[in-house]
Amino acid sequence: MRTVSNVRRVRSRGVAIALVGAFLLIGSVGCASKTAIVHDDLLTPLARPRPFIPAPEDLAAARLARAALVARPREDGSVDPEVALALEALEAIPVPKEDERQPNLIPLSIDLRDATLDDPLADRAGARALAKRRDLDPRLEARLDRRIGDDPLELAGRREFDTWERLWARTFNAVAEPIGTSAITGFILAPFQLANSLIHYFAGFSNSEPLSFTDRQALALRQEFVARHPESTIVPDVELQIRRAEPKLAKTLAKRRLRASERALEADAPGLALHHAEAARTILAGEPGANESTRRAARKAEEAARSARDAARARSLAAARSLPTPEALRETEYALATALLVEAPVTPEPLSAPVAAYRAAARNAPRRADVDALEAHVDARLAFLGALVEQEARREARARERLARAANRDARDDTMVRHARALLEDDWQNPYGAFERLRARARREELAWRLAGEFVRRPRYPNLPAPVAYLIDTPTIAMTMILAPLRAVLSPITGGTPDFRRAPALAGYRYLVRYPDGEEQRAVIDWLYAYELDQERYGRALRLADWVPEFDPKERAELVEKTTEERLALVDDIEQFGTRATLLRGVAREFPDSEGGKTAGLRARAERDDASPQFIRITRGFLLENPEVAGHDGVGINPLLLNGDPLDGEIHPEGIVLRGGRVLEIRLVADGADDDEPYTSRYVELSETRLRQLTATLDEAVQRNGLIDADYRFDADPNRDTYLERAALGLTEEPDLRANAQASFVYQSLRERYGAVRGRDSLLPFDLVFRGSLGDFTLGAFPRWRPPRETPDAYLYR
């Protein structure tokens, strides 16, 4: 390639530049390849700055800027006289039409004058007048549009209109969809489908809140207007609209609290239910003359929650009747307790004598009316003691059986029965029991979901009475159950099946943590291994396989390869060099004999050789979309490298890379290759002036494009911004070599970010939808009205 082969080196500085470049490239990793940094014709020479001779309009603009900076707000809201005079002087200067040095000077000056006004209403009025001009700079036009759109009352009116448009879209779609789906397949089912659609349409209002989120946005915007413009003449009318909406807002928030109270009461949490009920009553107290029905519901919810709380407290504080223990039995109890405390671990032999004495004392106790209760009391203690002995002997199954026998006794007031039940029901004390319970529940839930889908969890309209809600969905539920076999066949392909076995898997891992050598270890490991394989988590499956001594070596080798592939796939999504290198080295060291381990080692070596303090890449597409970044005012790339002709050299689609310090990597299409093949790199040390130009034009291009097109905005990156700020200030001589200071960022063009062509919204307010459904055996086409888009802050009003 001619541009790459004819490299002209500057001999006087070649050695020094190479040493500096090598240090910058390898400083963060300790060692790397010694790539020479060269000056060649890849970049155009820096142009000498031309002296600037201010024209009369420039001097007038400077006077206007000074007047605007020192201007103070006037009480009557008018423009400062000095600013007005400076603007008139600027507009009076004749500028030839062919002079295009300052094409936007007058509009920018008018915008500056409007910015000195203390009244935002007058400022927006001036912005509207200025926006009517033609041939405005896109940046100024975008700023004016943003200022005009920042009118709280206008935005409130739009949000209210969105509410009505959403209602219209629901109504239109409820009628158009059933008719359209019946047009092709015949109108035999049209009456049924239309009736069913209308039933769901009216039932859907039960899920609507008294004040929708768009109306809540409108209320907040009106409140903002009153707070910002309390002296406006239209404030009384706006306050009237606010007073009309506030009772609906209180009702909306109170109903949310009441629903939360109902859920807490169902979950046997009366304290939380009472808290939500009291919060609902407090919310409604702010509007004493409205929402009487909701107020009654809040009182009922509060009474129900308080009754449940008092009943729970009465149960927990009730005094249990204690049996009078005979003196002889008490002495044997003390002896048995002493033996339990002395023996560690507990074994049957040392306890045989105290247990026999305890039984004999219980049999020889005086006969009383409560003799049956006393025998149950003694039997429960001995059963609990037997379970303890079995547990200490690592016979977990027999210990659970003895605890279950102790817990199933009728002596509910006996403390040992309660202890046994608590041990059996606690997930940490009895992890295998929890594993069995959760596994059985997971099977039931999965079977129910396979049959009835999402309807098994809750109805579509939870605010309606449950029988009514399920009656409305009866046809859909029936069709769902009929098509259950088909869904079972397609679910592995389509996905979307919930992970019902996650809870028992957690209980299984908990059992292995508590009892790594337990009796049920192998059964739990086999179940977990099958589960992890089914979820394609091969790393976890490999760890479980290592617990089994007789595991098949061939199957383990396959697991190792799948595990390395799984971990290597994560590397491509990691931006930080340190994290990538750590993961690659870990794979290479942990699996050195596998193909994936060898691949990870090679990639780790390549990462080390390619390491640099920074990695900020600018693609060729971005350079072509923003020629000022690539031109003489920016990095100054030779125009021949961006002309699309590979014969005289061409930049690779990968573009250029800021490597940290003042080092720039230029990635070129290799000689005799094309864009799809690997690139060849050339490294250049930029001067401070050229680096400042590059960072300035890059920042200006990003800011301008973001104002013109919201899709062009890039995500924030603190490391990237820190490096660019340091480069603009000329503080890159000492690069930051910390691993967490590296920026891995790519500036891409719109085409590269969003595909070939971004889709634009249709001018029509509806979409034409073609749909076929196996659920009701329909095929048709219908128009679907598009609801208005949600604003970025809509999530705040959910």
Side-chain angles (χ1 to χ4, degrees):
M1 186 170 60
R2 198 175 309 145
T3 306
V4 178
S5 59
N6 298 333
V7 178
R8 298 192 305 271
R9 303 195 177 190
V10 179
R11 299 180 180 273
S12 60
R13 299 179 58 196
V15 177
I17 292 174
L19 291 176
V20 172
F23 170 76
L24 292 176
L25 287 175
I26 69 176
S28 63
V29 294
C31 60
S33 59
K34 297 181 179 180
T35 304
I37 299 177
V38 296
H39 278 282
D40 51 33
D41 53 359
L42 296 176
L43 301 179
T44 58
L46 281 174
R48 292 184 178 181
R50 291 174 296 178
F52 175 73
I53 302 176
E57 61 268 21
D58 297 323
L59 299 175
R63 287 191 292 269
L64 173 62
R66 178 187 178 280
L69 288 174
V70 301
R72 293 186 177 183
R74 299 175 62 84
E75 294 181 357
D76 57 356
S78 60
V79 181
D80 187 273
E82 294 294 333
V83 175
L85 290 175
L87 180 59
E88 291 177 0
L90 176 62
E91 291 178 334
I93 296 176
V95 180
K97 294 184 178 180
E98 61 273 8
D99 189 357
E100 298 181 355
R101 289 178 295 174
Q102 302 289 346
N104 295 286
L105 183 58
I106 299 300
L108 288 172
S109 302
I110 296 174
D111 184 42
L112 178 60
R113 178 203 63 186
D114 295 339
T116 62
L117 297 174
D118 190 44
D119 186 3
L121 299 179
D123 186 15
R124 281 192 288 271
R128 290 190 182 93
L130 182 58
K132 296 178 181 179
R133 286 177 171 253
R134 294 183 179 181
D135 300 329
L136 288 177
D137 184 88
R139 290 170 290 182
L140 176 59
E141 189 174 4
R143 188 166 69 249
L144 292 175
D145 291 341
R146 189 166 62 251
R147 193 186 311 169
I148 294 170
D150 190 24
D151 184 353
L153 293 184
E154 184 177 348
L155 292 175
R158 292 179 186 174
R159 298 292 82 78
E160 284 190 339
F161 181 78
D162 289 348
T163 302
W164 290 104
E165 187 176 357
R166 288 177 184 278
L167 178 60
W168 161 250
R170 282 184 55 191
T171 307
F172 180 87
N173 296 335
V175 177
E177 183 172 348
I179 295 177
T181 53
S182 302
I184 296 179
T185 57
F187 289 95
I188 299 176
L189 299 177
F192 167 76
Q193 292 177 347
L194 182 59
N196 188 41
S197 178
L198 292 177
I199 290 173
H200 283 283
Y201 169 76
F202 288 109
F205 284 102
S206 65
N207 294 337
S208 301
E209 294 180 317
L211 194 69
S212 65
F213 79 91
T214 49
D215 288 335
R216 291 197 292 274
Q217 287 178 294
L219 174 60
L221 289 166
R222 292 193 175 100
Q223 291 172 338
E224 177 187 352
F225 176 83
V226 172
R228 289 166 58 179
H229 312 290
E231 299 178 356
S232 177
T233 56
I234 60 175
V235 164
D237 297 334
V238 178
E239 288 180 339
L240 179 61
Q241 293 175 313
I242 292 175
R243 286 194 296 271
R244 289 175 180 172
E246 283 178 341
K248 295 182 180 180
L249 177 62
K251 186 176 182 180
T252 299
L253 299 178
K255 282 194 168 185
R256 290 183 179 181
R257 290 286 189 170
L258 292 178
R259 286 195 293 269
S261 178
E262 292 175 1
R263 291 194 296 268
L265 206 57
E266 293 174 357
D268 197 18
L272 181 60
L274 181 61
H275 166 74
H276 286 301
E278 290 176 346
R281 185 169 53 82
T282 303
I283 292 171
L284 294 172
E287 303 292 336
N291 305 322
E292 187 59 35
S293 60
T294 310
R295 203 182 306 274
R296 288 194 300 269
R299 286 195 295 267
K300 291 181 181 179
E302 189 174 353
E303 292 173 0
R306 184 170 284 108
S307 300
R309 186 199 61 180
D310 294 342
R313 286 182 176 178
R315 287 195 304 270
S316 62
L317 298 177
R321 181 175 61 89
S322 60
L323 296 173
T325 307
E327 189 66 27
L329 186 59
R330 183 179 296 112
E331 293 178 358
T332 55
E333 280 186 351
Y334 289 161
L336 181 57
T338 303
L340 284 173
L341 293 174
V342 170
E343 293 296 326
V346 180
T347 56
E349 291 77 11
L351 295 180
S352 57
V355 168
Y358 186 54
R359 286 185 181 278
R363 286 194 300 268
N364 297 331
R367 300 290 96 183
R368 300 179 307 184
D370 54 1
V371 62
D372 294 337
L374 181 61
E375 291 180 357
H377 178 83
V378 172
D379 291 342
R381 277 159 173 71
L382 292 178
F384 191 89
L385 177 60
L388 179 62
V389 172
E390 297 292 348
Q391 182 69 26
E392 293 286 344
R394 299 183 181 276
R395 293 189 287 268
E396 304 160 22
R398 295 179 64 178
R400 287 193 298 272
E401 292 175 2
R402 286 179 176 269
L403 278 179
R405 288 200 297 268
N408 290 333
R409 295 179 182 275
D410 295 332
R412 298 180 182 178
D413 293 332
D414 192 283
T415 56
M416 303 312 296
V417 173
R418 293 201 296 271
H419 287 328
R421 291 175 182 172
L423 288 176
L424 285 174
E425 294 172 0
D426 188 86
D427 292 347
W428 273 101
Q429 296 295 334
N430 184 18
Y432 186 76
F435 172 72
E436 290 289 338
R437 289 194 303 271
L438 293 173
R439 187 168 62 168
R441 189 174 72 179
R443 285 195 293 263
R444 293 193 301 269
E445 291 179 352
E446 184 173 6
L447 178 61
W449 187 85
R450 296 283 184 190
L451 291 176
E454 294 295 336
F455 294 101
V456 74
R457 297 183 175 179
R458 64 180 181 87
R460 196 183 310 183
Y461 310 108
N463 296 328
L464 292 177
V468 176
Y470 280 110
L471 181 62
I472 293 174
D473 281 324
T474 297
T476 308
I477 295 174
M479 190 59 64
T480 302
M481 297 182 68
I482 292 173
L483 296 177
L486 180 61
R487 288 203 322 275
V489 173
L490 297 179
S491 60
I493 303 173
T494 58
T497 304
D499 187 6
F500 295 99
R501 294 178 291 172
R502 185 173 184 271
L506 292 175
Y509 282 117
R510 187 181 300 126
Y511 174 81
L512 294 179
V513 171
R514 288 291 311 277
Y515 306 105
D517 299 323
E519 286 184 329
E520 312 295 343
Q521 180 218 55
R522 184 56 184 273
V524 173
I525 287 177
D526 291 343
W527 188 91
L528 288 174
Y529 177 77
Y531 166 73
E532 300 295 359
L533 276 186
D534 186 56
Q535 297 294 320
E536 296 183 353
R537 294 193 281 256
Y538 301 109
R540 298 184 185 182
L542 178 61
R543 293 295 168 260
L544 291 168
D546 291 339
W547 282 54
V548 182
E550 64 276 10
F551 197 82
D552 186 7
K554 293 183 178 180
E555 188 174 354
R556 188 185 183 283
E558 294 178 2
L559 275 179
V560 167
E561 295 297 338
K562 291 180 179 179
T563 301
T564 55
E565 293 175 3
E566 180 183 30
R567 295 187 183 179
L568 289 176
L570 300 175
V571 176
D572 298 332
D573 298 329
I574 299 175
E575 296 183 353
Q576 289 295 331
F577 161 76
T579 307
R580 289 197 309 270
T582 302
L583 180 58
L584 290 171
R585 287 197 301 266
V587 174
R589 291 170 180 172
E590 191 173 359
F591 310 107
D593 298 332
S594 65
E595 292 297 327
K598 296 176 183 177
T599 303
L602 293 175
R603 291 186 61 176
R605 182 178 300 174
E607 288 272 347
R608 183 199 64 186
D609 294 341
D610 194 47
S612 61
Q614 301 295 331
F615 188 89
I616 302 175
R617 185 162 62 89
I618 306 173
T619 65
R620 185 178 70 185
F622 185 90
L623 295 173
L624 292 175
E625 276 191 1
N626 303 275
E628 67 276 11
V629 177
H632 65 276
D633 291 332
V635 66
I637 293 178
N638 192 328
L640 296 176
L641 300 179
L642 291 170
N643 62 359
D645 186 4
L647 296 179
D648 55 8
E650 188 71 13
I651 285 186
H652 194 271
E654 292 280 321
I656 60 177
V657 183
L658 290 168
R659 286 290 194 167
R662 292 189 283 120
V663 177
L664 177 71
E665 177 191 2
I666 302 178
R667 297 182 171 181
L668 303 170
V669 177
D671 191 12
D674 54 22
D675 292 350
D676 297 329
E677 297 183 19
Y679 54 83
T680 181
S681 295
R682 293 294 182 268
Y683 294 89
V684 177
E685 184 188 38
L686 302 178
S687 64
E688 291 185 2
T689 303
R690 194 185 294 271
L691 184 58
R692 280 197 296 267
Q693 287 185 182
L694 172 58
T695 56
T697 54
L698 180 63
D699 181 68
E700 183 180 0
V702 171
Q703 295 293 337
R704 182 191 65 247
N705 296 337
L707 290 174
I708 298 174
D709 191 344
D711 291 337
Y712 219 125
R713 296 170 185 168
F714 291 96
D715 295 333
D717 189 316
N719 290 341
R720 174 203 66 195
D721 296 339
T722 300
Y723 171 75
L724 294 180
E725 287 291 336
R726 290 173 61 88
L729 297 173
L731 303 177
T732 57
E733 293 301 324
E734 297 181 2
D736 192 344
L737 304 180
R738 294 174 301 157
N740 58 358
Q742 185 195 47
S744 298
F745 192 82
V746 181
Y747 287 99
Q748 293 179 303
S749 65
L750 280 176
R751 184 179 293 272
E752 291 169 328
R753 293 175 67 185
Y754 299 103
V757 179
R758 289 180 300 157
R760 297 294 182 183
D761 292 336
S762 173
L763 295 178
L764 299 176
F766 54 83
D767 301 320
L768 187 60
V769 180
F770 293 88
R771 193 183 72 177
S773 173
L774 291 174
D776 47 12
F777 301 102
T778 57
L779 177 66
F782 56 90
R784 175 178 292 168
W785 200 280
R786 291 192 305 272
R789 285 185 176 181
E790 294 184 356
T791 57
D793 63 339
Y795 72 96
L796 297 174
Y797 301 88
R798 292 294 185 188

